């Protein structure tokens, strides 16, 4: 077995909106040259970094963090930052009024700073401070906690959050880490994974299947708020036909053992 690497803290957000017929989720196609999950259809997200930890220490730069540990705040701050970097969608409030950042203001901030942020020429902390913004940490609802199986060369300790997409913030991929973006229902995404239209990582698929049971954004958020989250670290076994993943049944993914296809 390969030497197990330590898992890196990471966050991802399932941004939700009510569509004409079904609830929709914002998803992106990762660039084919990206090392991890290249070409996959994923939710916005990424690793918690040192800059996120600096914001944790600046309570004037976020709201809704009461009762959360520093680690929990770090996960949520990273989730909001990564979502802004990758989609331009900003879950924040004006510091002076407490009003949610609207689509026009989010667009202005993205146009002014998003490229520089992605090129590491400016910090997210500076963007927030200079624009009088506070991250809206309480808009994120914990939904799942997955840790990459032992034995994998690149491992993540990832929190999944649900959040209602701010009105009229439509999102757009950055052209760097992601090459396409789409709003679609959980059902459409799962069906696309089954048909081969989309490449879906296993945790993404399981969370989409679970989310597809909810008919609206409010129902999904209410369901998540009432959930007891069980950490999932799949145990992978090679079989004659491919690979088998075992996860805790109590995690709420309609099963315990899943066949995940041929060994790649």
């Amino acid at each position: 077995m390969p030497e197990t690497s330590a898992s890196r803290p990471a966050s991802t957000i399932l941004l939700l909106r009510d569509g004409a017929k079904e609830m929709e989720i914002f998803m992106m196609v990762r660039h084919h040259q990206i090392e991890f999950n290249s070409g996959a259809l994923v939710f916005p997200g990424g690793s918690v970094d040192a800059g996120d930890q600096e914001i944790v220490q600046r309570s004037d730069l976020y709201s809704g963090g009461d009762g959360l540990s520093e680690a929990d705040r770090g996960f949520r701050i990273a989730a909001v930052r990564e979502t802004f970097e990758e989609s331009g969608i900003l879950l924040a409030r004006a510091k002076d009024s407490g009003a949610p950042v609207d689509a026009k203001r989010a667009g202005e901030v993205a146009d002014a700073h998003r490229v520089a942020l992605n090129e590491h020429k400016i910090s997210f902390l500076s963007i927030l401070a200079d624009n009088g913004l506070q991250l809206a940490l309480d808009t994120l609802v914990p939904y799942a906690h997955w840790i990459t199986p032992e034995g994998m060369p690149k491992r993540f300790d990832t929190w999944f959050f649900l959040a209602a997409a701010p009105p009229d913030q439509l999102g757009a991929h950055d052209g760097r880490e992601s090459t396409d973006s789409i709003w679609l229902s959980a059902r459409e995404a799962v069906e696309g994974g089954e048909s081969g239209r989309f490449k879906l990582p296993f945790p993404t698929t399981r969370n989409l299947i679970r989310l597809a049971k909810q008919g609206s954004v409010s129902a999904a958020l209410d369901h998540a708020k009432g959930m007891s989250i069980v950490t999932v670290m799949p145990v992978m076994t090679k079989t004659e036909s491919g690979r088998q993943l075992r996860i805790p049944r109590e995690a709420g993914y309609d099963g315990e053992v899943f066949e995940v296809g041929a060994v790649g």
Side-chain angles (χ1 to χ4, degrees):
M1 177 180 287
E3 183 178 342
T4 294
S5 58
S7 55
R8 296 172 59 183
S11 303
T12 188
I13 296 185
L14 286 65
L15 285 164
L16 311 176
R17 72 179 186 188
D18 289 317
K21 296 182 178 180
E22 299 177 86
M23 180 177 66
E24 296 176 334
I25 308 154
F26 182 79
M27 300 188 74
M28 305 177 306
V29 177
R30 286 182 66 82
H31 197 287
H32 66 90
Q33 292 179 337
I34 293 288
E35 181 182 356
F36 186 75
N37 277 340
S38 62
L41 186 69
V42 297
F43 313 116
S47 298
V48 181
D49 66 20
D52 300 322
Q53 302 299 344
E54 291 179 11
I55 296 174
V56 168
Q57 306 305 321
R58 289 282 304 271
S59 59
D60 59 314
L61 297 180
Y62 55 84
S63 59
D66 297 344
L68 298 176
S69 67
E70 288 195 359
D72 289 339
R73 293 177 191 183
F75 278 111
R76 294 188 188 217
I77 289 166
V80 176
R81 174 186 53 77
E82 286 281 351
T83 298
F84 177 69
E85 287 181 2
E86 296 184 351
S87 72
I89 293 174
L90 183 57
L91 297 166
R93 300 182 175 99
K95 185 177 179 180
D96 56 358
S97 67
V101 168
D102 62 18
K104 179 176 182 292
R105 181 65 177 133
E108 292 170 350
V109 176
D111 289 345
H113 303 295
R114 190 175 163 205
V115 171
L117 179 62
N118 279 323
E119 293 178 351
H120 307 293
K121 294 177 180 176
I122 190 173
S123 70
F124 196 41
L125 187 154
S126 296
I127 293 172
L128 299 174
D130 293 348
N131 288 275
L133 300 174
Q134 290 184 323
L135 301 181
L137 301 189
D138 53 322
T139 60
L140 276 61
V141 180
Y143 191 61
H145 182 213
W146 285 66
I147 301 175
T148 310
E150 292 182 344
M152 302 296 285
K154 200 163 191 175
R155 303 182 64 230
F156 293 93
D157 177 338
T158 305
W159 275 93
F160 291 73
F161 297 96
L162 298 188
D168 300 320
Q169 289 198 42
L170 303 180
H173 53 282
D174 60 11
R176 293 160 57 91
E177 290 193 19
S178 56
T179 57
D180 198 6
S181 55
I182 184 173
W183 284 95
L184 77 173
S185 71
R187 176 191 57 80
E188 289 174 309
V190 172
E191 289 177 355
E194 292 172 346
S195 70
R197 177 187 174 196
F198 302 128
K199 175 183 173 184
L200 292 177
F202 178 70
T204 304
T205 300
R206 300 321 310 172
N207 281 300
L208 284 167
I209 290 172
R210 184 163 72 175
L211 195 61
K213 298 176 182 178
Q214 305 303 321
S216 68
V217 175
S218 60
L221 294 174
D222 286 345
H223 176 253
K225 289 173 184 175
M227 284 171 38
S228 176
I229 295 177
V230 174
T231 298
V232 177
M233 186 171 73
V235 176
M236 185 166 58
T237 305
K238 290 185 179 180
T239 65
E240 290 184 2
S241 59
R243 291 176 299 165
Q244 196 177 73
L245 290 179
R246 181 181 296 273
I247 66 175
R249 182 176 295 277
E250 60 270 24
Y253 290 104
D254 299 330
E256 186 174 11
V257 178
F258 299 88
E259 303 291 334
V260 291
V263 178

